[in-house]
Amino acid sequence: MTAVAVFIVLIGLMGLVGSLIPTYQICHQKQAGHRGWHLLLAMIGMFILGYVGFLWMLMHRNTASLEMVVAAVFSAGGGFVWLVVKMSQETILTLQNTLAEKHYQAYHDPLTDLANRHQLYEKIDELSQNENTHFCFLMMDLNDFKMINDNLGHDAGDKVLQIIAHRIQTMMPMQALAVRLGGDEFAVVLPSSCIDQAKQLAQSIQQHIMQDILCEGHRLAVGISIGIACYPQDGEDRKTLMKNADIAMYKAKRSGNTYETYSTNDDINDFPQS
């Protein structure tokens, strides 16, 4: 009976030992690292010592019915701890994945996977909080995109937007943020940059986007108008900066140039507002 009792207790001991790693992982997860898990980890360590002590006792005395009952309780206890810890870890992981997915959806455009307007606002606000920072903001609008939707349908239009978004993303330098504002409007935040760097990026984006797009058996060439405004000289807050970049963009659209930079001489009344 001693060998049977030892085997039964070992099953429970393996459950406790198997619980150590997942409990330790839960303790070090930022969202789930509650002090209760640290206490549970310490208690599992104490349980393991108790199990080892009971095993030593079993091997040095005759095993009776009472010892068998206790061995069964120890075995079930170890299995119970392992089961609870594993189920808790899986539940926490599922919740974290759900939260991460919801967070991603809240900050990204579902069609193009670019950052969305909400993430743009937070990025500009974050950058503008630093008094010594300077950055450029590019507002972009596709030329005559409505014709694609009207002639080829919205499915084709969505495909074109996805291709253009991918091309814009591939042109982004490090730390730059590419954004889809909605419809056929895009934007770029270019941290720690000067106006010359913004102009260079605008030219590169235009050249890349102008490459033919094959869609629904048609070869399309899509143009883009880009307006550039720089912080802080063209706007000391997000609303002003975006408005002035919008004005510069419509100046580019009206003039037929690839891009235009904002100037204080631009009259807001001369340009439509998006």
Side-chain angles (χ1 to χ4, degrees):
M1 290 183 66
T2 299
V4 175
V6 169
F7 177 74
I8 293 174
V9 175
L10 282 175
I11 294 175
L13 181 59
M14 287 188 294
L16 290 175
V17 173
S19 303
L20 285 173
I21 293 179
T23 305
Y24 178 82
Q25 291 172 340
I26 293 174
C27 287
H28 288 78
Q29 289 178 359
K30 187 175 181 180
Q31 293 87 351
H34 189 273
R35 285 179 297 179
W37 287 104
H38 292 271
L39 178 60
L40 177 61
L41 183 62
M43 292 175 65
I44 291 175
M46 295 172 63
F47 286 151
I48 290 175
L49 292 177
Y51 276 52
V52 172
F54 186 66
L55 284 172
W56 182 88
M57 184 189 71
L58 286 176
M59 291 183 291
H60 289 82
R61 60 180 294 177
N62 293 326
T63 301
S65 299
L66 178 61
E67 284 75 15
M68 290 296 296
V69 172
V70 175
V73 172
F74 273 39
S75 180
F80 175 77
V81 171
W82 178 84
L83 183 62
V84 169
V85 170
K86 291 298 292 184
M87 291 178 64
S88 298
Q89 186 183 39
E90 291 177 2
T91 300
I92 291 171
L93 182 61
T94 300
L95 290 174
Q96 288 180 337
N97 290 338
T98 301
L99 289 174
E101 183 178 353
K102 294 295 184 183
H103 182 272
Y104 185 88
Q105 292 173 351
Y107 283 85
H108 290 81
D109 174 61
L111 178 65
T112 63
D113 273 342
L114 293 182
N116 62 11
R117 189 181 293 267
H118 184 65
Q119 187 176 169
L120 169 67
Y121 290 169
E122 288 196 1
K123 183 67 172 180
I124 294 178
D125 290 343
E126 176 189 344
L127 291 173
S128 59
Q129 287 177 0
N130 187 342
E131 295 181 357
N132 298 320
T133 193
H134 56 89
F135 61 92
C136 292
F137 177 70
L138 287 70
M139 182 81 79
M140 301 180 288
D141 185 79
L142 302 182
N143 299 332
D144 301 319
F145 180 74
K146 186 175 182 297
M147 294 178 59
I148 297 177
N149 280 333
D150 292 344
N151 295 327
L152 300 180
H154 289 279
D155 288 342
D158 288 347
K159 182 179 179 181
V160 170
L161 289 174
Q162 290 172 332
I163 293 173
I164 289 175
H166 176 72
R167 292 181 178 181
I168 292 174
Q169 184 63 55
T170 59
M171 301 302 298
M172 291 300 100
M174 289 184 62
Q175 298 184 336
L177 179 68
V179 181
R180 184 190 178 207
L181 296 172
D184 61 341
E185 287 190 333
F186 297 85
V188 172
V189 180
L190 203 56
S192 303
S193 61
C194 63
I195 188 65
D196 290 337
Q197 291 171 312
K199 290 179 179 179
Q200 184 178 3
L201 178 62
Q203 289 177 337
S204 298
I205 290 174
Q206 191 270 348
Q207 293 171 0
H208 208 50
I209 285 180
M210 280 295 294
Q211 297 176 13
D212 288 347
I213 297 175
L214 294 177
C215 181
E216 302 292 336
H218 299 273
R219 189 178 297 271
L220 307 175
V222 181
I224 191 169
S225 299
I226 304 174
I228 304 173
C230 296
Y231 177 90
Q233 60 266 35
D234 296 330
E236 296 185 352
D237 59 80
R238 166 169 46 89
K239 183 177 180 181
T240 303
L241 186 69
M242 293 184 65
K243 179 191 71 176
N244 291 339
D246 201 41
I247 292 172
M249 182 190 71
Y250 277 107
K251 184 168 66 171
K253 191 177 289 289
R254 191 177 66 173
S255 66
N257 295 329
T258 299
Y259 66 86
E260 291 284 355
T261 59
Y262 175 74
S263 169
T264 54
N265 296 324
D266 294 333
D267 187 348
I268 189 173
N269 295 318
D270 291 340
F271 305 98
Q273 298 303 300
S274 61

